[in-house]
Amino acid sequence: MLNKRILRRVSSENVTLYELSGGFLVLTVLMPLYLWLFPAPSLLPGWSDLGWLLILAWACTVLAFNLSMSALQKISAFTVNLTYNLEPVYGILLAFVLFREDKYLSTGFYVGFLLILLSIVLQMMRLKKKQLKTT
């Protein structure tokens, strides 16, 4: 919700730059404490690992965060949060399709899944009703 307010004044690219740079700086400051608690044999990744880290950092972090900030300018914060919270459901559905993992789930999962779907339907109905009132 705070990002939604900030995006009224600042571009999504600047918000992405500030937030991800702030996270980088905080993690950099905390790195000595982490290394003291969990010593590592090597700090630098190999060349192939570095390449994959860069690809994942740009594609899965910077690009994804910037796209979510751009989406937040057009849709509500609730809808964006609902989408984030559905990520585990997407993963579970992929496990159903790819690995036939549905046989290990209890009725509690299906009840939870139906509650999530109900919240999505109710949110869409609320948005449609709000849209009809404004027209």
Side-chain angles (χ1 to χ4, degrees):
M1 290 177 15
L2 183 60
N3 279 341
K4 180 85 171 173
R5 288 184 185 163
I6 292 171
L7 285 170
R8 290 181 188 149
R9 297 172 286 146
V10 182
S11 72
S12 63
E13 290 82 11
N14 285 341
V15 172
T16 300
L17 174 70
Y18 297 149
E19 289 189 12
L20 294 182
S21 297
F24 173 75
L25 290 174
V26 168
L27 290 174
T28 301
V29 168
L30 292 176
M31 186 64 125
L33 175 65
Y34 177 81
L35 290 174
W36 180 68
L37 293 172
F38 308 100
S42 174
L43 289 179
L44 300 175
W47 286 109
S48 66
D49 291 336
L50 185 62
W52 282 112
L53 284 171
L54 288 174
I55 290 170
L56 290 172
W58 280 103
C60 299
T61 304
V62 176
L63 181 63
F65 189 80
N66 194 26
L67 288 172
S68 72
M69 289 295 107
S70 297
L72 192 55
Q73 290 176 323
K74 297 181 179 25
I75 58 178
S76 73
F78 179 83
T79 305
V80 171
N81 274 329
L82 189 61
T83 305
Y84 289 154
N85 292 328
L86 284 175
E87 286 181 18
V89 175
Y90 303 148
I92 291 168
L93 291 175
L94 276 173
F96 280 8
V97 173
L98 297 176
F99 304 115
R100 297 293 304 153
E101 294 288 328
D102 53 324
K103 57 188 168 235
Y104 298 111
L105 297 174
S106 67
T107 5
F109 168 79
Y110 294 105
V111 170
F113 184 70
L114 288 175
L115 287 173
I116 291 171
L117 285 179
L118 179 66
S119 69
I120 294 169
V121 169
L122 290 174
Q123 169 66 2
M124 298 315 284
M125 288 172 50
R126 186 182 75 82
L127 289 175
K128 233 2 166 180
K129 185 177 178 182
K130 185 178 178 182
Q131 186 181 31
L132 289 174
K133 278 185 181 180
T134 58
T135 57

